[in-house]
Amino acid sequence: MDVPATLNRARRPARVEEPRFVPELRADNNTFVKGLVGLGNGPDLVVRSLKAAANVAPGMHFPVEATVCNVGTADLGGSARLQLALSSENAVVFPALPAPFDSRTQVPVGSADVSVLSAGQCKTLTVDAIASRPQEAGPHQALALDAVIDANRTVPELREDNNVLTQGLVGVGFDADLVITDVKAPANLRDGQPFTASYTVCNVGLSPASSTGVAMYLSVDAAPPAVAPWQSQGPLPGYAFLGRSSINTDLTPGQCTTQSGTFHALRPMELGPLPLSSTLNLSAVMDGPPDARTDNNGFAVGPVGVGFGPDLVVTELQGPASARPWNTFTSTVKVCNVGTQPTPGTSQVAVYLGTGNTLPAPLAQSGSPPSPDGTVALVGTVSVPSLGEGACVTQSLTGRATRPEQATPLQPLYLGAVVDPGVAQQELREDNNTFVAGLMGVGEAPDLVVTGLTFPDTVAPMEPFTATARLCNAGTEGSSIVPMMFVVSTEVNWTRPPPGTPFPSMDQHMAGMANAPSLQAGQCQDVPVTLHANRPWSAPVHAPLYLSAVLDPFQDPLDLRRDNNVSPGRRLGVGTGPDLVITSLTGPVSAFGPLDLGVTVCNLGAEAAPGTRVTLHLLTKPSLTLPAPNVPVPLEELLGEATLPPVAAHACVTQTVNAFISGAGIGMPGTQTFFLGASVDRARDLPEVREDNNTFVGPRIGVGFAADVVITAMGGPDQVQPWAAMQVPVTVCNQGTMTAPPHTVDLLLSTVATLPASAVQGEPVESPTLSRLGFVQVPPLAVGECVSVEGSVNAVPPQAAQPGAALYLGASARLYDSELRKDNNGFVRGTLTVSNTP
């Protein structure tokens, strides 16, 4: 049951009147209470979300991103105080006045004023907080991040009971804190058999970490086990220990590493006899010495099938943007078998149009729709051939655009698919057979949408500039001329307010208008327009601004879809000062010690920038966030600094910087991933129009003393008969810092365009989607040396290959010695047609 959080007038409830014609087993459970709802005309402020760093140093400043919304029926005309706190309890305490907000379990850490919030509007702001611990907090206890809106109780609201939010935990201390951020494992596991999984571990603490590992578990519970460090291998009720993989590198604060390990699929002993196939939950836990926090050591990977059998899933579904009711349209659906055995025969995949963005699991009656309540309509079904383990097939289906019974006129519908809708196949998992692609217009009307919006990154206030909107008619009828408004807002994504609501609002600025030309169905056209941007008067001084295009701002009811009439906002700087950005960063592919890096800095602003410092970084992940101005760059990250010459408005400078890799925080070769990074005006000495675009992440770089073998080119025929001989030349280069010893290159034939991780890393390959055709021998390679070798192999299709489907010719360099990088040993040339027909 969905109801608004607030109502501007009373609504008469509905009930079933006497006499009751339906005999029931129980008559005492016919009522339902959803919760409180505000009644009247007034604002109602709530805190929707809080975001902060995982760990902060005691007494130090740290930013908190808070989103505050007005879910009431009237605007907030003045301002309200947002108060932040750290608490040793799980919920914030908001005492009645005049009781103090702070207590032995709760300490205020920062505050800010939120002003002018229209009904239905949300605002995201950054609050400067100072880390502090409540008196009753434990030595290493993670603290709850709390927020209270209208902390001074100065705003009369429809509801006063929903002004608080507790979201997330923050560690306060100087220790290390290791967390698992990602795990990639097979969708299904063979019972009792080994499997390979990769994992990414990051140190989000404030001290280095070492001697760690990752343990894997299978259980009925979705949550990972709560296990103390160094105890992961002991018996845990309800959890099966699958093995431990060591992390063979130190991690400094902010560093991440992605590694892989071998584990064994085992079922929890407590479950007793289970069916031959079953679905369990895979989880991972950090295993190592105690760190600052243990509440975030677990990671829920998700459900996996365990056993022997097929598992059909829909991985792609494509259809047109719109269709006329009852007219036919064609969609394409890709079905894969991610199980551990082939499907025993053919199956079906059904395509539906529905009013919701989810489809329930298929029913056990063949051909029945996935929902009997009139919210979905069948488009059609198509047969899926028997699929081997890992095999995929793409089928086309043509059916009628039938509207579900519960759909309203011109309501956009979701295009979805269900494989094996009648549950004719016995699968490892039955919960992953559905797929929903997205919205589709069904009706007889135009559907105008802005698919692209280009403009300068930075503009001066109210100075004219040119923007170009790419306008398309994705509907089924031609469109007439409609107005198009360009709006500067503090929000990236927003929707048009209901009719009758003032628009643009006080935190928006109308930069200009233009007429969208009439377009035939399927036609696109670029529309240039001259705009004048300014900062909305109620926007905070440092709040980012975004420019969006709004089609038909006065909401013509004849539009086929009205949910796509506001284009996603693109960042726009509005101001008169300089705006420095880094546009290029170049360097060697591998290095250790001294190196030269080239950096290009451009000034997008309207004023010249004096000489500014540029800083070069060595990163372990492809992201760079500027620390506070007074926080130095860690030694293991700092490559060097230089002073740029002055940069004129709308000009660029390129400079070579002498950098140096110190070796601090560098582990064994091949155990870490490194990227080049750069930042300009790191100390924020120069006032700029935008301060959020001063960082740049450049290319990957190998760091250390080792070889780095890569395949740079691969030849061979475009077509060959099955099992026929063919010559395949391969070019191999050593882009490392030491000589590469003799090694082999496997020649592969794959059913997919991307090689599995094991092949990319030069490890032995065993997969039904891959066929190892043979290998070629590569001689020793000096630093920077390349060689071309040629192998004679037979075109053996992979086990999962489908008749007539495209195959891909690839290669994998197998070097058993340490390398600077192991993730670049694979290469895919492109398609190879393996067929008896010319």
Side-chain angles (χ1 to χ4, degrees):
M1 180 179 181
D2 295 324
V3 295
T6 54
L7 304 172
N8 59 7
R9 62 182 185 274
R11 298 189 178 182
R12 184 176 180 178
R15 64 175 183 174
V16 177
E17 296 286 354
E18 298 281 359
R20 300 183 177 126
F21 295 108
V22 181
E24 297 186 68
L25 292 175
R26 292 177 59 183
D28 62 329
N29 58 353
N30 288 13
T31 61
F32 177 82
V33 177
K34 170 73 174 181
L36 293 173
V37 60
L39 185 63
N41 188 34
D44 182 17
L45 303 178
V46 298
V47 183
R48 284 287 190 227
S49 67
L50 297 170
K51 295 180 182 178
N55 293 275
V56 295
M60 298 299 292
H61 291 257
F62 69 100
V64 178
E65 183 182 283
T67 299
V68 179
C69 298
N70 179 4
V71 296
T73 57
D75 299 342
L76 170 68
S79 63
R81 173 58 57 92
L82 175 67
Q83 179 69 60
L84 302 179
L86 290 175
S87 171
S88 59
E89 304 293 332
N90 292 329
V92 59
V93 177
F94 188 22
L97 294 175
F101 182 71
D102 58 331
S103 66
R104 296 180 61 85
T105 62
Q106 179 175 283
V107 57
V109 295
S111 62
D113 288 329
V114 180
S115 60
V116 189
L117 208 56
S118 303
Q121 181 193 358
C122 295
K123 183 175 293 187
T124 299
L125 63 157
T126 301
V127 183
D128 181 36
I130 300 178
S132 182
R133 298 181 65 85
Q135 299 179 38
E136 295 189 1
H140 293 288
Q141 180 182 359
L143 303 177
L145 182 60
D146 303 325
V148 176
I149 187 62
D150 191 24
N152 299 333
R153 290 187 169 91
T154 58
V155 179
E157 299 184 66
L158 292 179
R159 292 178 59 183
E160 302 285 353
D161 63 319
N162 59 351
N163 286 21
V164 301
L165 177 69
T166 297
Q167 188 174 59
L169 295 173
V170 177
V172 179
F174 297 98
D175 296 321
D177 184 17
L178 296 177
V179 298
I180 302 169
T181 60
D182 185 40
V183 173
K184 290 183 170 60
N188 295 276
L189 310 175
R190 288 180 172 87
D191 205 359
Q193 299 298 310
F195 68 95
T196 299
S198 65
Y199 50 84
T200 300
V201 174
C202 297
N203 183 2
V204 296
L206 303 180
S207 295
S210 60
S211 302
T212 61
V214 170
M216 292 274 193
Y217 298 88
L218 276 175
S219 66
V220 175
D221 295 332
V227 55
W230 297 110
Q231 296 179 353
S232 66
Q233 300 182 42
L236 294 173
Y239 290 85
F241 175 67
L242 311 185
R244 180 186 188 272
S245 177
S246 298
I247 299 175
N248 49 5
T249 184
D250 295 343
L251 288 177
T252 56
Q255 279 193 319
C256 298
T257 182
T258 299
Q259 300 187 21
S260 60
T262 300
F263 305 87
H264 286 77
L266 301 172
R267 305 177 190 233
M269 296 292 294
E270 294 84 356
L271 296 182
L274 286 176
L276 186 61
S277 303
S278 58
T279 300
L280 297 174
N281 291 286
L282 183 66
S283 58
V285 176
M286 285 305 309
D287 176 37
D291 56 12
R293 296 173 56 179
T294 58
D295 60 286
N296 57 357
N297 281 6
F299 183 88
V301 182
V304 294
V306 180
F308 298 89
D311 182 21
L312 296 176
V313 296
V314 178
T315 59
E316 293 179 16
L317 176 61
Q318 296 181 347
S322 60
R324 295 177 182 272
W326 298 104
N327 277 21
T328 58
F329 70 93
T330 299
S331 58
T332 59
V333 55
K334 184 177 181 180
V335 177
C336 296
N337 177 13
V338 296
T340 58
Q341 287 183 342
T343 54
T346 61
S347 54
Q348 297 284 319
V349 61
V351 174
Y352 296 90
L353 286 171
T355 58
N357 60 356
T358 60
L359 284 171
L363 302 175
Q365 294 82 22
S366 178
S368 62
S371 177
D373 58 2
T375 59
V376 298
L378 178 66
V379 176
T381 61
V382 64
S383 177
V384 176
S386 176
L387 294 176
E389 178 191 347
C392 299
V393 66
T394 299
Q395 302 286 74
S396 294
L397 184 150
T398 299
R400 296 191 179 277
T402 306
R403 301 185 64 84
E405 296 178 4
Q406 298 297 323
T408 59
L410 296 184
Q411 177 184 357
L413 300 175
Y414 289 90
L415 185 67
V418 179
V419 65
D420 191 25
V423 197
Q425 298 277 358
Q426 185 176 359
E427 301 183 62
L428 282 174
R429 294 178 57 184
E430 301 286 356
D431 61 322
N432 58 354
N433 287 26
T434 64
F435 184 92
V436 177
L439 285 171
M440 174 178 167
V442 178
E444 297 177 339
D447 179 24
L448 294 179
V449 58
V450 174
T451 60
L453 185 60
T454 60
F455 51 85
D457 292 309
T458 302
V459 298
M462 300 309 294
E463 288 294 321
F465 67 96
T466 300
T468 301
R470 180 67 171 174
L471 181 65
C472 294
N473 180 3
T476 57
E477 296 282 351
S479 67
S480 57
I481 297 176
V482 296
M484 181 166 48
M485 183 184 294
F486 297 84
V487 176
V488 178
S489 172
T490 57
E491 298 179 77
V492 181
N493 298 303
W494 50 278
T495 58
R496 293 180 303 181
T501 304
F503 176 70
S505 63
M506 290 181 288
D507 66 342
Q508 295 175 324
H509 168 78
M510 187 179 74
M513 292 192 68
N515 283 329
S518 58
L519 297 175
Q520 296 300 315
Q523 183 184 359
C524 295
Q525 184 173 328
D526 289 333
V527 181
V529 59
T530 300
L531 304 178
H532 301 77
N534 206 349
R535 178 171 289 274
W537 76 270
S538 66
V541 176
H542 298 294
L545 300 178
Y546 304 90
L547 181 64
S548 298
V550 185
L551 283 162
D552 186 24
F554 310 112
Q555 305 191 33
D556 187 341
L558 295 181
D559 201 13
L560 185 58
R561 287 179 57 183
R562 298 168 64 179
D563 61 296
N564 59 356
N565 284 16
V566 180
S567 69
R570 187 182 144 220
R571 188 73 163 84
L572 172 68
V574 179
T576 55
D579 182 20
L580 296 178
V581 298
I582 300 168
T583 60
S584 173
L585 178 61
T586 58
V589 293
S590 60
F592 197 87
L595 70 160
D596 291 335
L597 301 177
V599 59
T600 300
V601 177
C602 296
N603 181 7
L604 305 180
E607 293 183 0
T612 309
R613 298 285 285 175
V614 63
T615 306
L616 285 309
H617 303 255
L618 183 64
L619 309 173
T620 59
K621 54 185 177 181
S623 63
L624 175 59
T625 302
L626 283 182
N630 57 345
V631 177
V633 178
L635 175 63
E636 64 274 2
E637 181 181 320
L638 180 63
L639 293 178
E641 289 189 298
T643 300
L644 298 171
V647 188
H650 309 297
C652 299
V653 296
T654 298
Q655 184 160 322
T656 299
V657 180
N658 297 320
F660 187 83
I661 299 177
S662 68
I666 307 298
M668 294 294 293
T671 63
Q672 292 170 284
T673 300
F674 294 100
F675 299 83
L676 294 174
S679 60
V680 63
D681 190 30
R682 183 180 62 83
R684 296 179 177 88
D685 295 325
L686 176 67
E688 297 185 66
V689 177
R690 290 176 58 182
E691 301 285 356
D692 65 306
N693 58 353
N694 285 15
T695 63
F696 183 88
V697 176
R700 287 281 303 272
I701 182 172
V703 176
F705 290 106
D708 183 18
V709 172
V710 296
I711 300 170
T712 60
M714 188 175 184
D718 294 327
Q719 183 172 350
V720 67
Q721 292 183 343
W723 300 89
M726 60 180 178
Q727 298 295 119
V728 180
V730 179
T731 301
V732 185
C733 298
N734 176 17
Q735 59 182 24
T737 56
M738 294 184 66
T739 298
H743 58 279
T744 61
V745 171
D746 284 345
L747 303 180
L748 308 170
L749 198 56
S750 172
T751 61
V752 293
T754 303
L755 296 179
S758 57
V760 173
Q761 296 172 4
E763 299 174 358
V765 178
E766 291 185 8
S767 170
T769 66
L770 213 59
S771 176
R772 183 175 180 268
L773 307 181
F775 67 92
V776 292
Q777 192 70 37
V778 180
L781 294 175
V783 174
E785 183 183 3
C786 297
V787 66
S788 292
V789 292
E790 186 170 294
S792 179
V793 294
N794 296 94
V796 181
Q799 175 186 341
Q802 295 294 306
L807 297 178
Y808 299 86
L809 186 63
S812 173
R814 297 179 61 179
L815 185 65
Y816 295 103
D817 292 43
S818 296
E819 287 189 81
L820 294 182
R821 291 177 58 181
K822 278 288 190 181
D823 62 335
N824 59 353
N825 286 23
F827 185 90
V828 176
R829 187 206 69 175
T831 57
L832 172 66
T833 302
V834 181
S835 174
N836 287 312
T837 58

mmCIF file of all heavy atoms in Angstrom, residues 4 26 36 114 130 133 175 200 223 268 283-285 310 334 412 417 419 423 432 459 495 518 540 576 659 663 782:
data_model
loop_
_atom_site.group_PDB
_atom_site.id
_atom_site.type_symbol
_atom_site.label_atom_id
_atom_site.label_comp_id
_atom_site.label_asym_id
_atom_site.label_seq_id
_atom_site.Cartn_x
_atom_site.Cartn_y
_atom_site.Cartn_z
ATOM 1 N N PRO A 4 1.125 8.980 0.167
ATOM 2 C CA PRO A 4 2.090 10.060 0.349
ATOM 3 C C PRO A 4 2.444 10.215 1.818
ATOM 4 O O PRO A 4 1.693 9.833 2.709
ATOM 5 C CB PRO A 4 1.341 11.288 -0.188
ATOM 6 C CG PRO A 4 0.196 10.758 -0.993
ATOM 7 C CD PRO A 4 -0.164 9.445 -0.388
ATOM 8 N N ARG A 26 -10.074 -16.813 8.568
ATOM 9 C CA ARG A 26 -9.870 -15.852 9.640
ATOM 10 C C ARG A 26 -10.470 -14.525 9.228
ATOM 11 O O ARG A 26 -10.348 -14.098 8.082
ATOM 12 C CB ARG A 26 -8.379 -15.650 9.933
ATOM 13 C CG ARG A 26 -7.679 -16.849 10.529
ATOM 14 C CD ARG A 26 -6.202 -16.559 10.715
ATOM 15 N NE ARG A 26 -5.985 -15.413 11.591
ATOM 16 C CZ ARG A 26 -4.776 -14.911 11.879
ATOM 17 N NH1 ARG A 26 -3.706 -15.479 11.345
ATOM 18 N NH2 ARG A 26 -4.646 -13.879 12.684
ATOM 19 N N LEU A 36 2.234 6.503 10.034
ATOM 20 C CA LEU A 36 1.770 7.869 10.207
ATOM 21 C C LEU A 36 1.831 8.638 8.897
ATOM 22 O O LEU A 36 2.695 8.414 8.059
ATOM 23 C CB LEU A 36 2.617 8.579 11.251
ATOM 24 C CG LEU A 36 2.502 8.064 12.693
ATOM 25 C CD1 LEU A 36 3.526 8.743 13.577
ATOM 26 C CD2 LEU A 36 1.095 8.293 13.227
ATOM 27 N N VAL A 114 19.761 24.890 6.397
ATOM 28 C CA VAL A 114 19.103 24.534 5.142
ATOM 29 C C VAL A 114 18.011 25.555 4.907
ATOM 30 O O VAL A 114 17.113 25.718 5.745
ATOM 31 C CB VAL A 114 18.508 23.121 5.194
ATOM 32 C CG1 VAL A 114 17.835 22.786 3.877
ATOM 33 C CG2 VAL A 114 19.581 22.106 5.524
ATOM 34 N N ILE A 130 33.694 17.902 12.879
ATOM 35 C CA ILE A 130 34.926 17.657 13.624
ATOM 36 C C ILE A 130 34.727 16.378 14.432
ATOM 37 O O ILE A 130 33.793 16.272 15.225
ATOM 38 C CB ILE A 130 35.281 18.834 14.543
ATOM 39 C CG1 ILE A 130 35.478 20.115 13.713
ATOM 40 C CG2 ILE A 130 36.553 18.527 15.337
ATOM 41 C CD1 ILE A 130 35.788 21.337 14.545
ATOM 42 N N ARG A 133 34.570 11.695 20.156
ATOM 43 C CA ARG A 133 34.003 10.456 20.680
ATOM 44 C C ARG A 133 33.161 10.758 21.921
ATOM 45 O O ARG A 133 33.591 11.515 22.800
ATOM 46 C CB ARG A 133 35.095 9.461 21.049
ATOM 47 C CG ARG A 133 35.950 9.024 19.885
ATOM 48 C CD ARG A 133 37.005 8.009 20.328
ATOM 49 N NE ARG A 133 36.369 6.785 20.791
ATOM 50 C CZ ARG A 133 35.997 5.786 20.000
ATOM 51 N NH1 ARG A 133 36.187 5.871 18.697
ATOM 52 N NH2 ARG A 133 35.438 4.700 20.492
ATOM 53 N N ASP A 175 43.901 3.594 13.383
ATOM 54 C CA ASP A 175 44.264 2.239 13.005
ATOM 55 C C ASP A 175 43.937 1.962 11.533
ATOM 56 O O ASP A 175 43.262 2.732 10.862
ATOM 57 C CB ASP A 175 43.523 1.225 13.877
ATOM 58 C CG ASP A 175 43.935 1.334 15.331
ATOM 59 O OD1 ASP A 175 45.128 1.543 15.584
ATOM 60 O OD2 ASP A 175 43.052 1.224 16.205
ATOM 61 N N THR A 200 38.416 -7.705 -4.214
ATOM 62 C CA THR A 200 39.077 -6.411 -4.071
ATOM 63 C C THR A 200 39.018 -5.990 -2.618
ATOM 64 O O THR A 200 37.933 -5.946 -2.025
ATOM 65 C CB THR A 200 38.423 -5.345 -4.956
ATOM 66 O OG1 THR A 200 38.506 -5.746 -6.323
ATOM 67 C CG2 THR A 200 39.115 -3.994 -4.799
ATOM 68 N N ALA A 223 23.494 -12.959 5.201
ATOM 69 C CA ALA A 223 24.499 -12.120 5.837
ATOM 70 C C ALA A 223 25.781 -12.903 6.056
ATOM 71 O O ALA A 223 25.755 -14.107 6.345
ATOM 72 C CB ALA A 223 23.973 -11.587 7.170
ATOM 73 N N PRO A 268 27.037 -26.335 4.313
ATOM 74 C CA PRO A 268 27.077 -26.382 5.778
ATOM 75 C C PRO A 268 26.623 -27.744 6.298
ATOM 76 O O PRO A 268 25.622 -28.306 5.835
ATOM 77 C CB PRO A 268 26.117 -25.269 6.205
ATOM 78 C CG PRO A 268 26.057 -24.356 5.027
ATOM 79 C CD PRO A 268 26.209 -25.222 3.822
ATOM 80 N N SER A 283 29.514 -15.643 0.862
ATOM 81 C CA SER A 283 29.976 -14.441 1.538
ATOM 82 C C SER A 283 31.480 -14.511 1.738
ATOM 83 O O SER A 283 32.085 -15.587 1.666
ATOM 84 C CB SER A 283 29.261 -14.247 2.875
ATOM 85 O OG SER A 283 29.463 -15.365 3.724
ATOM 86 N N ALA A 284 32.087 -13.355 1.975
ATOM 87 C CA ALA A 284 33.528 -13.251 2.181
ATOM 88 C C ALA A 284 33.780 -12.425 3.433
ATOM 89 O O ALA A 284 33.016 -11.501 3.748
ATOM 90 C CB ALA A 284 34.201 -12.607 0.974
ATOM 91 N N VAL A 285 34.849 -12.760 4.155
ATOM 92 C CA VAL A 285 35.175 -12.080 5.411
ATOM 93 C C VAL A 285 36.671 -11.804 5.428
ATOM 94 O O VAL A 285 37.478 -12.676 5.064
ATOM 95 C CB VAL A 285 34.769 -12.927 6.635
ATOM 96 C CG1 VAL A 285 35.215 -12.248 7.930
ATOM 97 C CG2 VAL A 285 33.269 -13.162 6.655
ATOM 98 N N PRO A 310 21.872 -27.356 -15.125
ATOM 99 C CA PRO A 310 21.880 -26.109 -15.887
ATOM 100 C C PRO A 310 21.303 -24.960 -15.074
ATOM 101 O O PRO A 310 20.681 -25.172 -14.023
ATOM 102 C CB PRO A 310 20.985 -26.431 -17.090
ATOM 103 C CG PRO A 310 20.018 -27.457 -16.557
ATOM 104 C CD PRO A 310 20.797 -28.270 -15.543
ATOM 105 N N LYS A 334 18.860 -12.341 -25.178
ATOM 106 C CA LYS A 334 20.028 -13.214 -25.064
ATOM 107 C C LYS A 334 19.886 -14.081 -23.833
ATOM 108 O O LYS A 334 19.697 -13.583 -22.727
ATOM 109 C CB LYS A 334 21.315 -12.382 -24.975
ATOM 110 C CG LYS A 334 22.588 -13.220 -24.962
ATOM 111 C CD LYS A 334 23.827 -12.338 -24.948
ATOM 112 C CE LYS A 334 25.110 -13.159 -24.959
ATOM 113 N NZ LYS A 334 26.324 -12.295 -24.955
ATOM 114 N N PRO A 412 3.816 4.492 -19.747
ATOM 115 C CA PRO A 412 4.986 3.742 -20.217
ATOM 116 C C PRO A 412 5.024 2.362 -19.573
ATOM 117 O O PRO A 412 4.661 2.194 -18.411
ATOM 118 C CB PRO A 412 6.170 4.605 -19.753
ATOM 119 C CG PRO A 412 5.598 5.953 -19.482
ATOM 120 C CD PRO A 412 4.189 5.723 -19.044
ATOM 121 N N ALA A 417 11.516 -10.107 -19.723
ATOM 122 C CA ALA A 417 11.574 -11.459 -20.283
ATOM 123 C C ALA A 417 11.712 -12.464 -19.158
ATOM 124 O O ALA A 417 12.306 -12.180 -18.106
ATOM 125 C CB ALA A 417 12.735 -11.599 -21.265
ATOM 126 N N VAL A 419 12.810 -16.617 -18.852
ATOM 127 C CA VAL A 419 13.255 -17.835 -19.499
ATOM 128 C C VAL A 419 12.698 -19.031 -18.734
ATOM 129 O O VAL A 419 12.581 -18.996 -17.511
ATOM 130 C CB VAL A 419 14.797 -17.893 -19.582
ATOM 131 C CG1 VAL A 419 15.439 -17.969 -18.211
ATOM 132 C CG2 VAL A 419 15.248 -19.055 -20.452
ATOM 133 N N VAL A 423 8.608 -23.554 -16.090
ATOM 134 C CA VAL A 423 9.444 -24.364 -15.197
ATOM 135 C C VAL A 423 9.556 -25.793 -15.744
ATOM 136 O O VAL A 423 9.377 -26.775 -15.014
ATOM 137 C CB VAL A 423 8.902 -24.357 -13.748
ATOM 138 C CG1 VAL A 423 9.971 -24.828 -12.777
ATOM 139 C CG2 VAL A 423 8.431 -22.974 -13.342
ATOM 140 N N ASN A 432 16.450 -16.661 -10.738
ATOM 141 C CA ASN A 432 17.150 -15.698 -11.600
ATOM 142 C C ASN A 432 16.717 -15.811 -13.051
ATOM 143 O O ASN A 432 17.502 -15.547 -13.956
ATOM 144 C CB ASN A 432 18.665 -15.895 -11.481
ATOM 145 C CG ASN A 432 19.098 -17.315 -11.853
ATOM 146 O OD1 ASN A 432 18.271 -18.183 -12.099
ATOM 147 N ND2 ASN A 432 20.406 -17.543 -11.897
ATOM 148 N N VAL A 459 31.189 29.107 -17.642
ATOM 149 C CA VAL A 459 30.704 30.333 -18.281
ATOM 150 C C VAL A 459 30.652 31.441 -17.243
ATOM 151 O O VAL A 459 30.554 31.187 -16.031
ATOM 152 C CB VAL A 459 29.310 30.135 -18.916
ATOM 153 C CG1 VAL A 459 29.356 29.095 -20.007
ATOM 154 C CG2 VAL A 459 28.277 29.762 -17.861
ATOM 155 N N THR A 495 12.714 15.918 -11.718
ATOM 156 C CA THR A 495 11.527 15.787 -12.566
ATOM 157 C C THR A 495 10.720 17.074 -12.522
ATOM 158 O O THR A 495 10.840 17.867 -11.582
ATOM 159 C CB THR A 495 10.649 14.612 -12.105
ATOM 160 O OG1 THR A 495 10.276 14.818 -10.733
ATOM 161 C CG2 THR A 495 11.414 13.291 -12.233
ATOM 162 N N SER A 518 9.228 20.570 -35.136
ATOM 163 C CA SER A 518 8.416 19.377 -35.374
ATOM 164 C C SER A 518 9.283 18.291 -35.988
ATOM 165 O O SER A 518 10.095 18.549 -36.877
ATOM 166 C CB SER A 518 7.239 19.711 -36.292
ATOM 167 O OG SER A 518 7.700 20.237 -37.519
ATOM 168 N N PRO A 540 23.425 27.316 -2.381
ATOM 169 C CA PRO A 540 24.610 27.584 -1.556
ATOM 170 C C PRO A 540 25.795 27.998 -2.422
ATOM 171 O O PRO A 540 25.911 27.611 -3.586
ATOM 172 C CB PRO A 540 24.867 26.249 -0.854
ATOM 173 C CG PRO A 540 23.540 25.551 -0.869
ATOM 174 C CD PRO A 540 22.867 25.973 -2.130
ATOM 175 N N THR A 576 33.269 34.169 -12.614
ATOM 176 C CA THR A 576 34.128 35.062 -13.392
ATOM 177 C C THR A 576 35.606 34.754 -13.222
ATOM 178 O O THR A 576 36.440 35.364 -13.874
ATOM 179 C CB THR A 576 33.881 36.520 -12.980
ATOM 180 O OG1 THR A 576 34.074 36.653 -11.562
ATOM 181 C CG2 THR A 576 32.462 36.945 -13.334
ATOM 182 N N ALA A 659 59.581 13.210 -12.026
ATOM 183 C CA ALA A 659 58.935 12.518 -10.913
ATOM 184 C C ALA A 659 59.832 11.394 -10.417
ATOM 185 O O ALA A 659 60.862 11.056 -11.044
ATOM 186 C CB ALA A 659 57.575 11.978 -11.348
ATOM 187 N N GLY A 663 59.196 3.765 -3.917
ATOM 188 C CA GLY A 663 59.135 2.357 -3.538
ATOM 189 C C GLY A 663 58.395 2.118 -2.245
ATOM 190 O O GLY A 663 58.135 0.960 -1.890
ATOM 191 N N ALA A 782 64.273 -8.850 -24.191
ATOM 192 C CA ALA A 782 64.876 -7.757 -23.438
ATOM 193 C C ALA A 782 63.838 -6.671 -23.192
ATOM 194 O O ALA A 782 62.745 -6.670 -23.784
ATOM 195 C CB ALA A 782 66.081 -7.197 -24.201
#
